[in-house]
Amino acid sequence: MSSPVFFRPAVAPTLADVVRWTGAAAPDGADLSAAVSGVAPLDGAGPGQLTFLDNPRYAPLLARTRATACLVPARHAAEVPEGTVALVAKEPYRAVAVVAGRIYPEALRPGSLFGTVGVSPSSTVHPEARLEAGVTVDPGAVIGPRAEIGSGTVIGPHAVIGPDVRIGRNCSVGSNATVVHALIGDRVILHAGVRIGQDGFGFAMGPGGHLKVPQIGRVVLQDDVEVGANTAIDRGSNRDTVVGEGTKIDNLVQIGHNVSIGRHCVIVSQTGISGSTTLGDYVVTAGQAGLAGHLTVGAGAQVGAKSGVMNDIPAGQRWFGIPAQAARDEFRLQATLRRLAKRAGPAAD
């Protein structure tokens, strides 16, 4: 079986280009004319490739790298082996991301999976839909009446765009995704299997049964939002569910109706956010965090992995635990429990 190459380099920059793109500092007298054919990890990089060190945990691998150049923080520059050019960067991870984006631009945003140019004849586009020039629609996709899609946007195979949906320019909608009752800004990425705008979970509960409450709001995704595979974002019940510009949402996240998420938040995999909760700008929720409904999480707050948030979180604070509380209180609680457990001695069989 042959070994396929999924991402081919679009350019072969020199080290001088790398320095110019990233602002990294090269050693005096270093030859910056060498070409970079790709990016690889420390222990897998060879001649012609660029590598990086950002996490000190991987510092032992640095001495053995065979890369042509390595982006490193200043404190590790002296550890770069002979034959590898040390490019000192304040943030090596961001620097290598810049370079990788130039070399592998196709990896930044999902494109057509079928090599489609324009609208595939095996897609279904309603005659009342409006597509700007330069929209790509893969086979099997369905676009409903009065939907509007901006130029440069790619609609993947078997994706469904509902009636009256608005999608901006240079977006990507992955295969088998569904987008209904939604307004999507520019440069938004929706990965495969995303569900945008389905019913929120709303019922008027009672002993005689649970009466379904019509969900008549929308989902609004602002510019530069990215939504990971198989994530669901419910439409609002009586107002909009909103995700602010630049926010990045991981795979397998559930966002309930009427939720408002600020700008440049990071929502990690398997987070669940219940209805009508508000997150300020730059909030981070780690994996499997759960947030109850009708809460407010202040700007810059961080929620630890597997935490259960039952109360409002002030801006800038870190909360952990079940139920979640301020980090200092959670650490104190855990320390107290460990001391009590030691005093109690080993558990009886």
Side-chain angles (χ1 to χ4, degrees):
M1 180 182 295
S2 62
S3 179
V5 177
F6 293 109
F7 297 105
R8 293 177 172 84
V11 296
T14 64
L15 293 183
D17 294 325
V18 172
V19 168
R20 186 174 74 255
W21 295 343
T22 64
D28 292 339
D31 179 8
L32 301 182
S33 64
V36 176
S37 61
V39 175
L42 282 167
D43 55 350
Q49 293 182 310
L50 176 72
T51 191
F52 73 102
L53 173 68
D54 187 74
N55 189 330
R57 176 180 298 179
Y58 301 104
L61 299 176
L62 180 58
R64 302 196 299 272
T65 191
R66 297 171 56 244
T68 289
C70 181
L71 289 157
V72 290
R75 65 182 179 276
H76 291 291
E79 302 167 36
V80 175
E82 186 177 355
T84 298
V85 178
L87 301 178
V88 176
K90 183 177 180 181
E91 297 178 281
Y93 189 52
R94 289 185 69 92
V96 80
V98 169
V99 177
R102 297 286 191 106
I103 298 176
Y104 308 106
E106 291 184 352
L108 290 174
R109 180 169 75 98
S112 169
L113 297 184
F114 203 73
T116 305
V117 177
V119 178
S120 169
S122 58
S123 64
T124 303
V125 179
H126 194 280
E128 294 181 10
R130 296 177 56 190
L131 278 59
E132 289 187 340
V135 171
T136 298
V137 183
D138 266 352
V142 176
I143 300 176
R146 301 172 303 281
E148 298 181 7
I149 301 175
S151 63
T153 290
V154 177
I155 308 299
H158 298 285
V160 176
I161 310 301
D164 300 296
V165 164
R166 301 292 188 266
I167 298 178
R169 294 172 176 164
N170 299 309
C171 296
S172 180
V173 178
S175 59
N176 294 295
T178 58
V179 183
V180 295
H181 310 291
L183 307 180
I184 311 294
D186 296 335
R187 300 175 301 279
V188 171
I189 297 174
L190 307 178
H191 287 278
V194 161
R195 307 293 181 222
I196 305 294
Q198 63 286 325
D199 279 15
F201 191 70
F203 298 89
M205 298 184 184
H210 308 314
L211 181 64
K212 186 176 181 65
V213 177
Q215 306 290 293
I216 59 173
R218 309 172 298 181
V219 173
V220 178
L221 304 184
Q222 296 179 358
D223 295 348
D224 300 301
V225 166
E226 183 161 351
V227 182
N230 296 314
T231 281
I233 304 179
D234 296 345
R235 69 177 182 264
S237 60
N238 51 18
R239 57 186 176 89
D240 293 338
T241 300
V242 179
V243 179
E245 65 176 330
T247 285
K248 310 303 181 187
I249 301 172
D250 201 355
N251 304 332
L252 297 169
V253 169
Q254 163 63 29
I255 297 174
H257 60 197
N258 297 351
V259 166
S260 178
I261 296 177
R263 299 174 302 121
H264 304 293
C265 295
V266 175
I267 312 298
V268 180
S269 181
Q270 298 183 20
T271 289
I273 304 177
S274 299
S276 299
T277 282
T278 297
L279 276 61
D281 297 342
Y282 295 95
V283 168
V284 175
T285 68
Q288 297 187 339
L291 284 70
H294 305 276
L295 301 180
T296 297
V297 179
Q302 298 180 16
V303 179
K306 293 182 176 292
S307 295
V309 179
M310 307 297 291
N311 298 290
D312 293 347
I313 299 179
Q317 290 195 7
R318 294 188 302 151
W319 280 37
F320 300 89
I322 305 175
Q325 58 184 329
R328 62 181 182 278
D329 297 328
E330 177 65 14
F331 293 151
R332 187 181 300 117
L333 171 63
Q334 295 301 323
T336 300
L337 290 175
R338 283 193 293 271
R339 287 195 298 270
L340 290 173
K342 289 180 179 179
R343 291 174 186 172
D349 291 337

